[in-house]
């Protein structure tokens, strides 16, 4: 059964892997109007040909020296596992770049392109999170686990009639004072549906979420800036739907940009 390790192994077995043209990282902070949380996100990014791969990482996980050390290196060096494996978020970013280069989101016939409007960070975040919540099958009356909390997405789930069960490793409360648990099993055991961030690909929790959703037959929606093409690879293999937002992300521009929504055939 497909998991993250098997996906890495299948790509590593591919002959004539290209080089990683460039490796870089971004540290970005945002505080939305009316909120009291400053979102501090760090992303490592890998370019392969025409595509960028990305994955968020925690403070101290990756040193800026990777930019000089790894740019131009064979992609297999970034993807390798074992005792000398690079940090997981960097491996995910490299995998994401390879998969996005092989099949760009804009050319994938399964993808529904959604244009986020010209606007402020809040206006664009609200449009993005409404598009993500729209991937949930009939959320009204359901308990929806949200693993990786952003406040506009909490609001979008509630606006569609769902009861949000927030889970995050860093936040303790939502904008409205709801308790945020750090124990994902607490929400996975009681949820009727799950929405998880692509960050779970880089922090080691994705396979566990995937396995629990398979066991319980839960719809699993992944909203992915991190690993958008990696998350897509699990569509129909435990993942019900994906909101894929490849780099450059919506928060880096005020101009109209696209995200790509995917659904399994039985969820159209």
């Amino acid at each position: 059964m497909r998991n993250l390790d098997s996906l890495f192994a299948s790509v590593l077995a591919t002959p004539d892997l290209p080089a990683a043209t460039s490796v870089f990282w971004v540290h970005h902070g945002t505080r939305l109007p009316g909120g009291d949380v400053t979102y501090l996100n760090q992303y490592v990014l890998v370019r392969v040909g025409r595509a960028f791969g990305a994955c968020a990482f925690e403070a101290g996980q990756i040193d800026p020296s990777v930019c000089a050390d790894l740019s131009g290196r064979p992609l297999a060096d970034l993807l390798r596992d074992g005792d000398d494996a690079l940090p997981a978020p960097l491996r995910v970013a490299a995998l994401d770049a390879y998969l996005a280069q092989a099949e760009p989101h804009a050319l994938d016939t399964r993808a529904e392109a959604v244009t986020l409007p010209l606007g402020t960070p809040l206006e664009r975040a609200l449009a993005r999170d409404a598009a993500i919540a729209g991937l949930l099958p009939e959320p009204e009356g359901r308990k929806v686990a949200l693993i990786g909390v952003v406040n506009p997405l909490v609001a979008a789930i509630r606006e569609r009639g769902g009861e949000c069960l927030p889970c995050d490793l860093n936040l303790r409360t939502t904008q409205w004072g709801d308790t945020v648990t750090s124990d994902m099993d607490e929400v996975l055991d009681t949820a009727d549906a799950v929405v998880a961030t692509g960050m779970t690909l880089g922090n080691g929790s994705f396979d566990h979420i995937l396995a629990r959703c398979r066991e319980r037959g839960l719809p699993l929606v992944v909203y992915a800036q991190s690993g958008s093409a990696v998350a897509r690879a699990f569509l129909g293999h435990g993942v019900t739907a994906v909101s894929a937002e490849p780099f450059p992300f919506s928060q880096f521009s005020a101009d109209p940009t696209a995200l790509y929504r995917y659904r399994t055939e039985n969820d159209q």
Side-chain angles (χ1 to χ4, degrees), residues 97-117:
Y98 174 80
L99 295 173
Q101 163 69 11
E103 189 169 17
H105 292 292
L107 301 180
D108 192 324
T109 58
R110 299 169 297 173
E112 172 200 3
V114 176
T115 300
L116 301 179

Side-chain angles (χ1 to χ4, degrees), residues 80-263:
R80 67 177 184 264
D81 59 5
D83 294 339
D84 60 347
L86 295 170
L90 208 156
R91 296 180 70 225
V92 168
L95 180 63
D96 189 39
Y98 174 80
L99 295 173
Q101 163 69 11
E103 189 169 17
H105 292 292
L107 301 180
D108 192 324
T109 58
R110 299 169 297 173
E112 172 200 3
V114 176
T115 300
L116 301 179
L118 171 75
T120 66
L122 179 59
E123 289 168 338
R124 286 168 59 77
L126 290 171
R128 179 196 65 210
D129 293 339
I132 296 167
L135 290 169
L136 280 165
E138 299 177 3
E140 186 170 358
R142 292 189 180 198
K143 295 179 180 179
V144 180
L146 177 60
I147 300 176
V149 174
V150 286
N151 285 311
L153 188 48
V154 174
I157 290 169
R158 288 173 171 166
E159 285 169 6
R160 293 203 63 205
E163 177 187 347
C164 186
L165 308 178
C167 175
D168 197 282
L169 292 176
N170 296 312
L171 293 180
R172 298 282 71 88
T173 62
T174 70
Q175 178 180 336
W176 303 275
D178 310 283
T179 299
V180 178
T181 182
S182 60
D183 182 358
M184 69 175 60
D185 284 318
E186 181 180 322
V187 297
L188 288 171
D189 288 345
T190 58
D192 301 308
V194 177
V195 181
T197 175
M199 284 184 67
T200 58
L201 292 160
N203 68 17
S205 60
F206 177 77
D207 280 348
H208 179 69
I209 295 167
L210 189 68
R212 291 292 290 130
C213 288
R214 285 169 174 162
E215 289 168 8
R216 297 195 57 221
L218 300 179
L220 172 57
V221 176
V222 181
Y223 67 101
Q225 293 183 331
S226 295
S228 62
V230 179
R232 178 184 61 183
F234 291 90
L235 194 69
H237 297 273
V239 170
T240 308
V242 177
S243 172
E245 190 180 346
F247 184 82
F249 309 136
S250 58
Q251 62 264 41
F252 296 147
S253 174
D255 294 327
T257 55
L259 62 79
Y260 301 90
R261 300 201 305 182
Y262 297 85
R263 295 177 173 89

Side-chain angles (χ1 to χ4, degrees), residues 21-112:
T21 308
S22 59
V23 177
F24 60 105
W25 66 278
V26 176
H27 189 181
H28 179 257
T30 299
R31 179 174 289 199
L32 297 173
D36 59 359
V37 175
T38 300
Y39 298 100
L40 296 174
N41 295 311
Q42 300 174 99
Y43 302 93
V44 61
L45 298 110
V46 176
R47 183 168 188 173
V48 174
R50 297 180 297 277
F52 292 89
C55 191
F57 64 94
E58 298 291 344
Q61 252 188 312
I62 294 175
D63 188 271
S65 62
V66 300
C67 303
D69 294 344
L70 299 178
S71 294
R73 292 275 293 276
L75 192 62
D77 290 354
L78 279 65
L79 293 172
R80 67 177 184 264
D81 59 5
D83 294 339
D84 60 347
L86 295 170
L90 208 156
R91 296 180 70 225
V92 168
L95 180 63
D96 189 39
Y98 174 80
L99 295 173
Q101 163 69 11
E103 189 169 17
H105 292 292
L107 301 180
D108 192 324
T109 58
R110 299 169 297 173
E112 172 200 3

